[in-house]
Amino acid sequence: MRTIVFGEVKWKVPTCGHHAHVSVFGALNVLNGDTVLHRAVAANATTFLDFLKILKIRYPDQLIVLVLDNARIHHAKMVRDFLRQEGESFHLIFLPPYSPQLNPIERLWKWLKDAVIANVFHKDQMDIDQAIARFMEYIDQQPEEVLRRLGCAA
């Protein structure tokens, strides 16, 4: 609990005391609005590799095109080794630095933050995780809205 004083009025504002977060990897099919979101304990090469494996299982006989920034985890040795084995399944497009506006998934992250995080007090990490899970369930049922909101609708 943190006390904030405005003039003579004191307000008690609940705080977690630290910045709890949840890592989420995501992919978006810009043709049909299908999304694959994977919550992880951290964003690192191992959890990114887990996400790639989930995509491979979800789309076993399709070419998976991913638009990525140049984060270290996307270039890690274990990821490169996996992609060498699964080379026919994945095509990675790396964006130039400082250009998130070119990646449609960034608009999904903004929607998630606006709907789940912004101006909402979450008492702990589990509360954040549950709110993200509800968001994920919602967008799974609303592919047309996903495409419309992300500017991918025809």
Side-chain angles (χ1 to χ4, degrees), residues 5 33 42 44 46 69 77 91-92 106 111 120 123 134 147:
V5 178
N44 57 44
T46 302
D69 60 20
K77 182 180 181 326
H91 178 72
L92 305 184
E106 295 295 337
W111 180 13
V120 177
K123 63 182 183 234
R134 287 190 299 275
L147 289 175

Side-chain angles (χ1 to χ4, degrees), residues 5-70:
V5 178
F6 293 103
E8 293 299 316
V9 180
K10 291 183 181 181
W11 297 30
K12 298 261 186 198
V13 179
T15 62
C16 289
H18 66 284
H19 297 285
H21 75 279
V22 175
S23 296
V24 182
F25 292 98
L28 163 70
N29 184 326
V30 296
L31 300 176
N32 64 16
D34 184 34
T35 55
V36 178
L37 299 180
H38 173 62
R39 294 187 313 270
V41 295
N44 57 44
T46 302
T47 54
F48 179 61
L49 186 56
D50 292 341
F51 178 63
L52 293 178
K53 290 174 182 176
I54 289 168
L55 289 174
K56 177 69 175 147
I57 291 167
R58 178 94 171 249
Y59 301 104
D61 299 321
Q62 296 180 32
L63 176 64
I64 300 166
V65 178
L66 294 175
V67 178
L68 302 168
D69 60 20
N70 280 287

Side-chain angles (χ1 to χ4, degrees), residues 91-143:
H91 178 72
L92 305 184
I93 299 171
F94 289 99
L95 293 176
Y98 309 107
S99 58
Q101 74 280 3
L102 299 176
N103 193 343
I105 198 74
E106 295 295 337
R107 293 187 283 280
L108 181 72
W109 299 143
K110 181 181 182 329
W111 180 13
L112 180 137
K113 288 176 184 175
D114 288 348
V116 174
I117 304 297
N119 300 316
V120 177
F121 172 73
H122 293 282
K123 63 182 183 234
D124 55 26
Q125 189 168 350
M126 181 172 287
D127 192 36
I128 296 170
D129 196 51
Q130 290 170 347
I132 290 171
R134 287 190 299 275
F135 178 82
M136 290 169 62
E137 289 171 12
Y138 176 78
I139 65 171
D140 278 347
Q141 303 302 315
Q142 306 296 326

